[in-house]
Amino acid sequence: MMESQFPESLLSRIENCGVISVLIIEELQQAVPIAKALLAGGVDAMELTLRTPVALDALRAIRSEVPEMLAGIGTILRPQQIHEVIEAGAAFGVAPGMNPTVVREAQQADLPFAPGIATPSDIEIALSYGCKELKFFPAEPSGGLPYLKSMAAPYQHLGVRFVPLGGVNAENFGIYLRDPSILAVGGSWLAPAAAISEKRWDIITDVAKAATAQAGSVRQGTNC
């Protein structure tokens, strides 16, 4: 079985929570209140996507003011971004696809990194680079858990685990978590856009509480 490129302590935190909040931060001042609201609801892992100019500054603010939050960066598309996210304090990196150049840069810089996969060929390329924690994206448009189980079956003996994102929401994330190949699920539903725009941090906390309670119930029921 392959060795993980993620520290065991980091994997345990992600798995124990079961849900990762995926965020597109538009305004820097939103970052810390969102992180605090998620943490109050039991969600202690988040992925800030590099889709806005403030993403790295948002990460710095969260690392400084909410150090209990496990904060990583997503949408890493170019090798040079690896060093930018490390400098900003990212605990891990994520990409939507499997770019060997980016993966190799992350490995050389010692950044825990999960590339994105959607096909068996993607998985095999990722495995050839030593990656066994993989982002399944876009999860629901690709066929959801039934597709993932069929696609991943030939690689289960290697200990590959997945984090589905894309169409995962409050209604379907429990279905994913029941499968032992799922490390955690990610999604934007944990911090609704309307709640962010209205600064209703209490709503985010309530959504996070409901998600962590359901995740805990599912995981206990399946002995994951």
Side-chain angles (χ1 to χ4, degrees):
M1 185 175 293
M2 297 169 51
E3 292 185 6
S4 174
Q5 297 185 46
F6 279 63
E8 186 58 38
S9 59
L10 193 154
L11 286 176
S12 294
R13 282 192 62 178
I14 293 174
E15 183 170 19
N16 288 341
C17 184
V19 291
I20 302 170
S21 179
V22 180
L23 295 161
I24 302 174
I25 301 291
E26 301 286 354
E27 300 176 17
L28 181 58
Q29 61 267 30
Q30 298 171 342
V32 169
I34 293 173
K36 288 181 177 179
L38 288 167
L39 201 60
V43 174
D44 65 356
M46 65 194 308
E47 174 198 325
L48 299 171
T49 61
L50 286 179
R51 301 188 193 183
T52 67
V54 304
L56 292 177
D57 285 336
L59 174 62
R60 292 186 184 96
I62 291 167
R63 293 285 290 178
S64 174
E65 299 186 45
V66 197
E68 308 94 328
M69 176 63 72
L70 183 67
I73 287 286
T75 321
I76 298 177
L77 305 178
R78 302 186 305 277
Q80 60 266 35
Q81 291 177 316
I82 294 294
H83 303 281
E84 294 171 358
V85 304
I86 291 174
E87 186 277 330
F92 60 89
V94 182
M98 174 57 216
N99 184 326
T101 305
V102 174
V103 169
R104 184 61 74 206
E105 196 73 22
Q107 291 170 335
Q108 292 175 350
D110 201 27
L111 176 70
F113 191 80
I117 61 89
T119 68
S121 294
D122 291 339
I123 293 177
E124 293 196 18
I125 295 171
L127 290 172
S128 74
Y129 279 82
C131 301
K132 61 180 290 187
E133 285 80 31
L134 307 174
K135 171 179 176 177
F136 173 40
F137 178 82
E140 283 294 293
S142 295
L145 184 61
Y147 169 74
L148 176 61
K149 290 176 69 172
S150 296
M151 174 180 63
Y155 313 103
Q156 286 182 338
H157 64 289
L158 299 175
V160 183
R161 303 193 71 187
F162 303 91
V163 179
L165 292 94
V168 179
N169 55 43
E171 285 70 44
N172 62 20
F173 82 93
I175 297 172
Y176 285 94
L177 286 181
R178 291 186 180 92
D179 192 277
S181 71
I182 303 301
L183 177 65
V185 299
S188 59
W189 93 91
L190 291 160
I196 293 173
S197 64
E198 296 170 10
K199 298 182 180 181
R200 290 293 307 276
W201 315 127
D202 58 312
I203 292 177
I204 295 175
T205 295
D206 289 343
V207 173
K209 284 180 178 178
T212 53
Q214 184 176 345
S217 176
V218 169
R219 283 281 166 87
Q220 289 174 6
T222 56
N223 297 316
C224 288

